Amino acid sequence: MVEMQENRGIAGAPRPDKKIWVTLTGLPLTVKLDWPFHQSTSGADFWVIHGDIRLEGSEGLHAPVAVNMSLTVRDVMPSLEQKDAEAPVINALRKEVDRRQIEFLKSGKLLPVPFSSRHYDFKRQQWVFGKATDDAMAEFIERKVFWQTQLMGEKRVWIGDPAEAQYLQTTPVLVMEVAARLVAAQGLLRIEGEWAEATQGLMNQAERFVAARRAAVQELEKKHAFERG
C-alpha cells in the first residue's frame, strides 16, 4: 500500500494509502517510501531513502528500491521533507520503470536507483521527466482514472494533482484541458473542476487497460531476461 504524508489540506483528495501511480507505459503502481531521507553511511556524498514499488493487479510482484539522491539534486531541493521531495522522487521512480530499469519480482534484492541531475533542468529550474504529447496525456488520464476506480474503488479521481502534471512535464491546467477535450468529449469521463469520474463506457474498456499492463510487463520481463542471458 502507498504510505505518504497525511492529506495536506486538499479537500476530497484521495487517501494517501489509496493512491495509484500510473506509468506512461500503462502500469498501475503503489509506492511505499520510508521517510525521511538520510545521509549515506558508506562515505559517499549522497542521501538515501528506501522504498518498495508494487505492481498492482499482479500476484505480489514488487521492487525494493534505495533511491540515491545526488548532492547536485540536494542543492536544488527546497528541503528533504516529504512535502517537498515526494513528487519528484516518485516521478523519478516511474520514469525508471518507463525506461525498463526496474524489474518486478515476487522477492527481489534491493535495487539502487539514482535520483540525479538528469531529472532536473538547471537552465529552466524545473524537473524534467519527458514531455508528454496531448495524445499520451489523454491515454494516461484514461488509465489513471480507470485503475484508481477499479483497484481502489474511488468514484472521484483527482486529475489536477501537481505531481501527475510534473511527471507529464506540463501543468495541472493543461492536464485538465486535455482531459476535457480528448477524453470527456468521448463520453469516457465526467469532469467537475479538478476531479474526474469514470463513466460506464470507460469501465467497459477494462480489457484495453489490462492488455496495456500485460504488454508493459512482458516488455520488462523480456528486457531483464535478455540482460541475465
Side-chain angles (χ1 to χ4, degrees):
M1 294 173 67
V2 183
E3 290 188 0
M4 291 181 289
Q5 189 172 8
E6 287 300 321
N7 211 329
R8 293 182 286 274
I10 301 166
R15 280 181 19 212
D17 62 343
K18 298 186 71 175
K19 185 68 175 284
I20 294 290
W21 299 99
V22 177
T23 70
L24 283 169
T25 52
L27 296 177
L29 311 175
T30 53
V31 182
K32 173 184 175 182
L33 294 169
D34 298 327
W35 296 96
F37 268 98
H38 58 274
Q39 196 155 11
S40 170
T41 57
S42 67
D45 198 9
F46 59 84
W47 282 257
V48 181
I49 189 170
H50 289 179
D52 193 76
I53 310 171
R54 299 192 68 83
L55 176 57
E56 294 299 326
S58 69
E59 297 182 357
L61 297 180
H62 70 117
V65 294
V67 180
N68 298 327
M69 177 189 291
S70 68
L71 178 60
T72 307
V73 168
R74 170 66 185 90
D75 287 344
V76 301
M77 297 290 288
S79 80
L80 297 187
E81 294 181 15
Q82 187 173 355
K83 64 182 179 63
D84 293 319
E86 181 178 77
V89 167
I90 287 178
N91 288 335
L93 290 171
R94 279 197 281 189
K95 188 52 62 177
E96 292 303 300
V97 173
D98 286 336
R99 292 171 175 154
R100 294 179 288 176
Q101 298 301 308
I102 292 177
E103 183 177 17
F104 295 96
L105 301 168
K106 288 192 174 180
S107 61
K109 294 181 179 179
L110 191 68
L111 175 69
V113 178
F115 183 37
S116 64
S117 56
R118 69 177 175 176
H119 297 303
Y120 196 78
D121 184 332
F122 288 90
K123 184 176 180 180
R124 295 179 176 83
Q125 296 186 331
Q126 64 182 27
W127 298 101
V128 288
F129 297 102
K131 187 167 181 60
T133 64
D134 284 3
D135 287 343
M137 276 194 275
E139 189 172 51
F140 173 87
I141 294 161
E142 290 175 352
R143 291 167 173 173
K144 173 181 173 65
V145 175
F146 173 81
W147 287 117
Q148 190 75 38
T149 304
Q150 178 78 6
L151 294 173
M152 300 301 183
E154 297 286 341
K155 290 187 177 180
R156 297 172 72 243
V157 179
W158 188 28
I159 59 172
D161 188 343
E164 304 289 26
Q166 184 187 85
Y167 174 57
L168 300 170
Q169 207 171 317
T170 185
T171 66
V173 170
L174 288 177
V175 171
M176 291 182 286
E177 180 184 298
V178 168
R181 180 162 48 88
L182 297 182
V183 185
Q186 300 177 41
L188 299 178
L189 297 180
R190 287 184 288 271
I191 295 179
E192 183 178 346
E194 297 186 351
W195 300 85
E197 182 179 344
T199 65
Q200 194 57 49
L202 182 74
M203 300 312 291
N204 286 343
Q205 297 186 30
E207 181 50 39
R208 175 161 68 94
F209 301 110
V210 172
R213 180 183 63 185
R214 186 185 308 121
V217 171
Q218 288 172 349
E219 287 299 314
L220 274 173
E221 291 174 342
K222 185 188 304 181
K223 188 253 190 185
H224 291 286
F226 176 79
E227 289 178 345
R228 287 193 295 270

